[in-house]
Amino acid sequence: SGYKPYFDTATVHPNPILYRKLQEAKHIPITEQAMEYLSEGLEGRSRNPVAVLFDTLLHPNADFGYDFPPVLKWRKDKHQQIPHLVLGKGTPGGAWHAMEGSMLTVSLGIWMELPGVNYRDLTNGLRRNVTSDRATPEEISSYYKDYVKLKGLQKNFVDNTYVTSVHKLCRGQELKGLENGQEDQKTVDSENGDTHVPFSLFAENVVLATGASDSPVRLGVEGEDLPFVFHSISDLGLAVSQGKLDVNSDPVLVVGAGLSAADAVLCACNSNIRVLHVFRKNTDNPDLIFKQLPKTLYPEYHKVYNMMSSQTCHNVVSSSSVNLFPDYTSFPEHCVVSFQSDMKCLLQGDNSLKAFKISMALVLIGTNPNLFFLKGQGQYLGQDPTNPISCKQNPIDINPYTFECTKEPGLFAMGPLVGDNFVRFLKGGALGIASCLLKRLKKKEKLFSSEGNSFI
C-alpha cells in the first residue's frame, strides 16, 4: 500500500553485524535492499531467513526476553503502491474471530502486532495477572480490524468472499475464456447474506495466505462421522453455553496432546464436566509442546500437563494414589479404535481394549490447509509433490527470499503454508513478497523508460 520501512537511525540494533549492514543503506527502504545479504547469518525460530530478519527488526533479541523497540520507521510513498485486493471468507482477523474466548494466545500480545500500530496502545495496556502479556482472541481480532481502518486499507479488503478456483492463463486467453463461458480464470464466489454473486479477477500475481485451520486432521476410524464426534473446540464451547453439558453428563472424550486439546480440557474442567483424555505419546516424550513452554507464562497449560502425567488411567484405579482431579482421567499411549452409535467409544492401549460411554468426542489432532481451488489441491507445489500440502511435514516449496512458489512463477505463499505458524514470523513473508514485487515493478518501469528513450 506504499508504506516503506527504513532503518531508524535514532535506534541501535543489538546485533552488531546487522546494525552495520543497516547503517550502510540507511537511506534505502528495506524492501529495496538484498534480502539475502541482510538475513545472512541470522538465527531464529523460523526456517525462513526473511521471517527471522523481519522479526529481529521489529522485536530485536525477543527470544532473550528483551523488549527493545523496533529499529524501523515507516514512510508512505503513494507513487509506490501496487494495486491489490485481499479476499477473505470473513472480516480482517480471520480465524481469530472463531476462537474460544477464554483462551490466551501462545505468543505474547506484542508479538501479534503488525508494523506501524502499537498493540499496547490499541488494547489500552490491559493487564490481568502473570499471563497478562498474552492476549485473548477478542483482543487480537479487534486489533486486526482496527489496524485495517487506522492504516486506511479498507478499499483493498473484500470481505465475505469465497475463492472457488485459481487458474493460470496465457496472454490473450482472458477475453476468449469469458466469451466461451470457460471457468479457466481466477474465479471468486462472493457471499453477501444468503446471496451468491460470482465474479472473476485477472491478476499478474496471487498470494496464498489461507492459513492451516480449514481442514481438521481426522483419525480415520469407524464412527468418526457420527453426530456426537466433533473436530473443533468451538463445538465444546457451544454445547456448554447451550446447557447441553453439565456436571451430570457422561464424560467428554478429548483426543490429542497439543494446545487445542489442552484448551478443550481446560474448558470442560472449568465447567465441571468430566473428561477422558486420550493421546498416543508418553507423558515423558520430549516432543510434547508443554515441554517447550515456560511455567510462569503458561500456568494453565502446565496444569493440564500435570493432570496428564498424574491422573492417568493407571494411577486413578490404584488405591494408593491421591485423586487430585476427580473429573479428569488421561490415557497416554492409547488410541481410538472406533465410535459406536450408542455413544460409546472403544480405546486401545496397554494391550487391552476399553469401552466408555461419552456425551461427545473432540478429535483435536491438528489441521491441514484446504487448497481445493488449486489444480490437484495444490499438491504439486509442495516440497514433496507426491504428498498433500502439510504445514509441518510438507510445506509449499518457495524461494526463501521472495516466497514465490518454485513450481509456479507468479504464485506466492506465506504463513503456515510455508511453515510459519506464528504471526510473529509470517510477517516476514509479507516483507519478502512486497520486496520482490516492488523490485520487479521498478525493473519494468526502467525497461519501459529505456524503450521510450530509444524510440524517441
Side-chain angles (χ1 to χ4, degrees):
S1 296
Y3 289 94
K4 287 186 172 184
Y6 291 81
F7 172 58
D8 185 351
T9 54
T11 64
V12 176
H13 196 282
N15 182 320
I17 298 175
L18 179 59
Y19 180 48
R20 177 178 54 79
K21 291 178 181 178
L22 293 169
Q23 287 181 307
E24 289 171 358
K26 57 189 176 185
H27 301 301
I28 303 173
I30 301 294
T31 45
E32 294 180 22
Q33 297 184 40
M35 295 293 132
E36 299 95 322
Y37 177 64
L38 288 176
S39 59
E40 184 183 17
L42 297 178
E43 295 181 353
R45 290 190 287 164
S46 170
R47 70 183 86 182
N48 297 313
V50 180
V52 177
L53 168 65
F54 204 28
D55 178 63
T56 195
L57 294 175
L58 294 170
H59 306 288
N61 278 9
D63 284 334
F64 297 104
Y66 295 104
D67 190 9
F68 292 138
V71 297
L72 297 177
K73 58 183 177 182
W74 297 82
R75 299 175 191 158
K76 187 162 186 181
D77 182 350
K78 60 183 179 182
H79 301 295
Q80 286 287 302
Q81 295 181 13
I82 296 177
H84 65 282
L85 288 176
V86 182
L87 308 180
K89 288 191 290 186
T91 55
W96 292 99
H97 293 292
M99 292 186 187
E100 168 63 34
S102 62
M103 291 163 34
L104 291 174
T105 57
V106 177
S107 298
L108 301 181
I110 57 168
W111 291 353
M112 310 294 288
E113 75 180 18
L114 300 179
V117 177
N118 189 289
Y119 168 79
R120 289 190 178 120
D121 290 347
L122 278 193
T123 55
N124 300 318
L126 294 173
R127 302 193 66 82
R128 287 174 288 273
N129 47 39
V130 70
T131 58
S132 61
D133 286 334
R134 292 159 64 200
T136 65
E138 183 183 5
E139 288 167 358
I140 295 299
S141 58
S142 295
Y143 169 80
Y144 292 147
K145 285 183 78 171
D146 292 341
Y147 183 91
V148 170
K149 294 173 186 172
L150 286 169
K151 304 303 280 187
L153 307 177
Q154 299 99 314
K155 64 182 183 300
N156 300 115
F157 281 77
V158 185
D159 300 341
N160 304 313
T161 60
Y162 192 75
V163 176
T164 58
S165 64
V166 175
H167 292 284
K168 189 172 185 178
L169 291 174
C170 296
R171 290 289 180 191
Q173 274 188 299
E174 294 97 331
L175 290 174
K176 185 179 177 184
L178 286 175
E179 288 168 0
N180 296 337
Q182 294 174 356
E183 290 296 319
D184 59 345
Q185 63 261 349
K186 298 176 182 68
T187 307
V188 181
D189 218 10
S190 173
E191 293 183 31
N192 184 3
D194 294 328
T195 62
H196 296 261
V197 184
F199 63 93
S200 299
L201 293 173
F202 299 101
E204 289 186 47
N205 304 285
V206 173
V207 178
L208 301 174
T210 55
S213 58
D214 285 331
S215 297
V217 176
R218 295 172 62 87
L219 292 169
V221 300
E222 177 191 344
E224 194 168 2
D225 290 322
L226 288 168
F228 63 90
V229 182
F230 300 91
H231 295 81
S232 170
I233 187 176
S234 59
D235 292 303
L236 173 62
L238 188 63
V240 171
S241 65
Q242 292 178 343
K244 293 179 180 178
L245 294 174
D246 57 34
V247 66
N248 297 314
S249 302
D250 288 322
V252 168
L253 178 75
V254 176
V255 183
L259 298 184
S260 294
D263 287 328
V265 169
L266 289 167
C267 178
C269 289
N270 290 340
S271 301
N272 298 314
I273 296 164
R274 288 181 291 159
V275 176
L276 305 177
H277 189 186
V278 179
F279 45 96
R280 291 185 300 176
K281 290 186 174 79
N282 184 290
T283 52
D284 294 326
N285 192 308
D287 292 334
L288 283 174
I289 185 65
F290 311 100
K291 302 272 190 181
Q292 304 163 37
L293 302 176
K295 288 184 180 180
T296 52
L297 198 57
Y298 303 94
E300 78 279 29
Y301 289 136
H302 280 275
K303 175 186 175 183
V304 173
Y305 177 62
N306 182 31
M307 293 161 65
M308 291 166 65
S309 305
S310 63
Q311 293 296 118
T312 68
C313 50
H314 315 105
N315 295 340
V316 170
V317 297
S318 169
S319 58
S320 61
S321 67
V322 178
N323 200 345
L324 300 175
F325 307 101
D327 294 331
Y328 172 93
T329 307
S330 76
F331 294 82
E333 299 180 278
H334 279 64
C335 63
V336 176
V337 176
S338 66
F339 298 103
Q340 306 297 328
S341 56
D342 59 355
M343 306 283 285
K344 286 183 179 176
C345 67
L346 195 61
L347 308 181
Q348 185 172 38
D350 303 326
N351 298 314
S352 66
L353 292 173
K354 306 175 180 70
F356 295 93
K357 195 167 191 314
I358 59 175
S359 57
M360 74 183 297
L362 287 159
V363 178
L364 303 170
I365 55 175
T367 57
N368 282 325
N370 187 353
L371 301 176
F372 71 94
F373 50 84
L374 293 173
K375 178 180 68 179
Q377 306 264 334
Q379 187 168 311
Y380 73 105
L381 299 172
Q383 292 180 357
D384 176 5
T386 63
N387 281 306
I389 298 296
S390 165
C391 302
K392 290 183 180 178
Q393 279 80 35
N394 189 33
I396 289 178
D397 193 23
I398 56 166
N399 177 304
Y401 302 105
T402 66
F403 288 75
E404 187 171 30
C405 299
T406 56
K407 314 273 175 46
E408 194 73 89
L411 187 65
F412 297 79
M414 61 180 286
L417 293 175
V418 299
D420 286 326
N421 292 301
F422 293 106
V423 172
R424 176 181 166 191
F425 294 110
L426 65 78
K427 291 175 280 192
L431 174 65
I433 295 166
S435 175
C436 173
L437 295 179
L438 286 165
K439 287 170 184 171
R440 287 182 183 174
L441 183 64
K442 206 167 188 179
K443 199 173 181 181
K444 194 183 290 185
E445 287 172 348
K446 279 185 179 178
L447 183 65
F448 287 148
S449 176
S450 62
E451 285 179 348
N453 290 337
S454 62
F455 177 75
I456 290 168

